[in-house]
Amino acid sequence: DAGVTQSPTHLIKTRGQQVTLRCSPKSGHDTVSWYQQALGQGPQFIFQYYEEEERQRGNFPDRFSGHQFPNYSSELNVNALLLGDSALYLCASSLVGQGSTEAFFGQGTRLTVV
Amino acid sequence: AQSVTQLGSHVSVSEGALVLLRCNYSSSVPPYLFWYVQYPNQGLQLLLKYTTGATLVKGINGFEAEFKKSETSFHLTKPSAHMSDAAEYFCAVSGGQGGSEKLVFGKGTKLTVNP
């Protein structure tokens, strides 16, 4: 079982650019959630995707958007990057369709905006 | 609304000593409570969770936590610290298992274990 995989592991972008982060859920899972973890802080919920729809959303601006594909993998897109978007972005997968399980986290993508 | 407060951003113990990491929560619905561990440059690994039933929860690596509703607490303990326990620990609350409902995390406690 490969677990939750995220790519890339590290990324450096310039302010104003756009970025796409990718997540493959644990085998058998149908739901993907994204979290932002700023340095020295706990993770903060961005949004959750289930059945290719955004199911829940945290307090993040519209610059943050996502997508879920039929194979349950997901992308997180951030437009017009700000220095404050520098953080570890964590993807978590779970099974919701047939009874809820806890969230399993990937290793994260470290985004640095310069 | 839900929130988590972790008392102490840094805790230092000697190897073999008791580990106690404090977590207090606020929740408008019956809470599901979690402790996660994060090693440097890693994601989060679930240590243990409280859903319903027994209030003393045992997890991996010898950790346990007790849900105390009257104190709105979910403190994490381990009788004897090991060097490999050095990491950052996050307490989280959710309205569900954490898979279907969002997790609300505390700011974390960094545990240092001294030889």
Side-chain angles (χ1 to χ4, degrees):
Chain A
D1 185 353
V4 181
T5 58
Q6 293 186 242
S7 62
T9 54
H10 294 83
L11 201 52
I12 299 175
K13 288 287 189 179
T14 302
R15 191 172 46 182
Q17 285 188 316
Q18 179 264 345
V19 69
T20 297
L21 311 182
R22 295 176 175 84
C23 174
S24 293
K26 181 178 169 65
S27 177
H29 284 183
D30 59 8
T31 300
V32 172
S33 302
W34 288 91
Y35 290 80
Q36 180 195 65
Q37 185 179 13
L39 199 61
Q41 301 293 317
Q44 285 197 292
F45 177 76
I46 304 175
F47 43 53
Q48 182 182 84
Y49 277 83
Y50 171 65
E51 292 188 337
E52 303 180 47
E53 297 281 337
E54 184 181 288
R55 188 169 174 267
Q56 300 180 62
R57 189 178 182 92
N59 188 25
F60 279 80
D62 291 345
R63 297 187 298 108
F64 290 77
S65 63
H67 189 77
Q68 186 179 36
F69 298 94
N71 66 354
Y72 308 118
S73 67
S74 177
E75 288 182 348
L76 164 65
N77 300 292
V78 187
N79 294 323
L81 284 166
L82 304 174
L83 297 179
D85 295 330
S86 296
L88 180 69
Y89 288 85
L90 295 165
C91 169
S93 75
S94 55
L95 177 63
V96 171
Q98 293 184 8
S100 180
T101 67
E102 71 260 23
F104 288 78
F105 284 81
Q107 304 275 60
T109 294
R110 174 74 63 189
L111 172 65
T112 302
V113 182
V114 298
Chain B
Q2 297 170 311
S3 66
V4 169
T5 302
Q6 291 185 240
L7 297 174
S9 57
H10 289 83
V11 170
S12 182
V13 300
S14 299
E15 193 174 17
L18 171 72
V19 175
L20 171 60
L21 305 182
R22 299 178 187 274
C23 172
N24 288 90
Y25 71 91
S26 171
S27 179
S28 56
V29 298
Y32 288 66
L33 295 158
F34 307 80
W35 275 99
Y36 283 87
V37 61
Q38 187 176 38
Y39 297 99
N41 301 313
Q42 300 277 316
L44 301 174
Q45 180 184 8
L46 181 66
L47 278 177
L48 49 80
K49 63 179 180 179
Y50 167 80
T51 54
T52 58
T55 57
L56 182 62
V57 179
K58 295 187 184 298
I60 62 171
N61 301 338
F63 285 94
E64 63 181 37
E66 187 171 11
F67 170 61
K68 292 187 176 182
K69 184 177 179 180
S70 61
E71 298 177 9
T72 60
S73 69
F74 191 58
H75 302 330
L76 182 71
T77 60
K78 182 174 180 177
S80 177
H82 191 272
M83 296 295 289
S84 61
D85 295 327
E88 188 143 28
Y89 292 80
F90 293 93
C91 180
V93 65
S94 174
Q97 283 271 10
S100 59
E101 301 294 329
K102 69 176 184 180
L103 290 160
V104 176
F105 287 89
K107 291 188 175 182
T109 298
K110 186 173 183 179
L111 176 66
T112 301
V113 181
N114 302 305

